[in-house]
């Protein structure tokens, strides 16, 4: 009988304690998940890169000495390949990106035409180097940058006249002018980006005096020159802090 009473008392005690245990095991409060993080590419910083592609310069020759007034000798396109490098700095304000850049390239743009006033003479033009000093303004969609550029251009140009492949006279000159262009660039890895760029060079008209050491003849030609360039570029940006992304909540 005593055992029955002890068991009954134990069950009653357990029943009384059950509500307290249930209260202690109340549901945990809901914790909101952390917000999503959007990765935004930062175009700010110094960069260095390489480029390569194709170019073409248009050259129009006008003789001003044979007849005492300007007479056209014809024109030709000097085309070929180019390779070089660039160094610049960009800074970003919101989606807008501003920058400055210097570029130097070796080139092999060459072409020729037969002179219209001396059919035995072939006039040839060649650009073997050029440089660009430009400012940039662009708009970025995260890791894609579309930009325009403009500034100064300089070329090392050579012009010559020949007969049956023998050079009669030549002039080599550094020519200065202006340039405008545009490009698109895509950042594909921490610090690395690649893009395509177009530039037009305005080199205007310059007078060149040709002296033939073989014939002892002097001629003067006004040569108008401009050029178009299309290059593929790969850049490496310094100071990206180990990752090219800025966290934005």
């Amino acid at each position: 009988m005593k055992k029955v009473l002890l068991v009954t008392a134990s069950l009653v005690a357990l029943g009384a304690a059950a509500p307290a245990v249930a209260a202690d095991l109340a549901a945990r409060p809901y914790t909101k998940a952390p917000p999503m993080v959007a990765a935004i590419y930062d175009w700010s910083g110094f960069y260095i890169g390489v480029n390569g592609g194709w170019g073409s310069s248009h050259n129009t020759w006008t003789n001003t000495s044979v007849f005492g007034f300007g007479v056209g000798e014809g024109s030709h396109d000097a085309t070929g390949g180019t390779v070089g490098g660039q160094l610049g700095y960009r800074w970003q304000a919101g989606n807008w990106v501003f920058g400055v850049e210097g570029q130097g390239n070796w080139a092999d743009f060459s072409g020729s035409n037969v002179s219209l006033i001396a059919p035995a003479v072939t006039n040839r033009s060649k650009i073997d180097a050029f440089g660009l000093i430009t400012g940039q303004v662009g708009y970025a969609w995260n890791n894609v940058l579309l930009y325009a550029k403009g500034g100064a251009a300089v070329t090392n140009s050579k012009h010559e006249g020949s007969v049956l492949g023998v050079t009669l006279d030549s002039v080599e000159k550094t020519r200065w002018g202006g340039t405008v262009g545009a490009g698109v660039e895509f950042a594909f890895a921490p610090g690395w980006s690649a893009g395509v760029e177009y530039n037009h060079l305005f080199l205007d008209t310059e007078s060149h005096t040709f002296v033939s050491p073989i014939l002892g003849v002097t001629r003067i030609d006004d040569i108008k020159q401009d050029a178009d360039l299309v290059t593929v570029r790969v850049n490496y940006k310094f100071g990206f802090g180990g990752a090219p992304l800025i966290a934005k909540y």
Side-chain angles (χ1 to χ4, degrees), residues 24-135:
D24 292 339
L25 298 177
R28 294 180 180 178
Y30 173 75
T31 302
K32 186 178 180 180
M36 296 293 292
V37 177
I40 303 298
Y41 189 85
D42 182 17
W43 290 93
S44 300
F46 288 97
Y47 63 91
I48 189 171
V50 296
N51 72 81
W54 172 90
S56 176
S57 72
H58 188 70
N59 303 267
T60 301
W61 294 49
T62 302
N63 186 280
T64 60
S65 61
V66 173
F67 297 103
F69 55 88
V71 179
E73 290 199 61
S75 61
H76 55 264
D77 291 329
T79 61
T82 180
V83 64
Q86 60 273 351
L87 175 68
Y89 179 78
R90 289 176 174 142
W91 61 96
Q92 186 167 352
N95 291 97
W96 292 98
V97 179
F98 307 90
V100 291
E101 181 182 278
Q103 176 179 338
N105 278 54
W106 293 276
D108 186 19
F109 307 159
S110 61
S112 63
N113 71 278
V114 174
S115 171
L116 298 180
I117 65 174
V121 176
T122 297
N123 291 327
R124 177 177 295 276
S125 300
K126 182 177 182 179
I127 293 178
D128 57 19
F130 66 86
L132 307 176
I133 303 173
T134 56

Side-chain angles (χ1 to χ4, degrees), residues 185-237:
E185 198 164 332
F186 171 74
F188 60 88
W192 290 96
S193 61
V196 178
E197 185 175 285
Y198 165 78
N199 289 282
H200 181 78
L201 279 56
F202 304 89
L203 300 169
D204 208 0
T205 302
E206 289 192 5
S207 180
H208 300 269
T209 300
F210 294 81
V211 179
S212 173
I214 298 176
L215 302 178
V217 176
T218 298
R219 63 169 173 153
I220 301 173
D221 270 83
D222 289 343
I223 301 178
K224 185 179 187 302
Q225 186 179 68
D226 55 25
D228 294 286
L229 313 170
V230 178
T231 54
V232 175
R233 299 153 55 94
V234 176
N235 289 326
Y236 179 78
K237 181 169 70 70

Side-chain angles (χ1 to χ4, degrees), residues 127-204:
I127 293 178
D128 57 19
F130 66 86
L132 307 176
I133 303 173
T134 56
Q136 297 180 8
V137 58
Y139 193 86
W141 291 269
N142 197 357
N143 62 332
V144 177
L145 174 65
L146 181 65
Y147 62 90
K149 61 187 297 187
V154 60
T155 67
N156 189 71
S157 300
K158 185 175 182 179
H159 307 284
E160 64 180 29
S162 64
V163 175
L164 300 176
V166 178
T167 300
L168 297 178
D169 51 26
S170 65
V171 171
E172 187 170 2
K173 192 172 183 181
T174 299
R175 301 184 61 158
W176 284 89
T179 181
V180 294
V184 60
E185 198 164 332
F186 171 74
F188 60 88
W192 290 96
S193 61
V196 178
E197 185 175 285
Y198 165 78
N199 289 282
H200 181 78
L201 279 56
F202 304 89
L203 300 169
D204 208 0

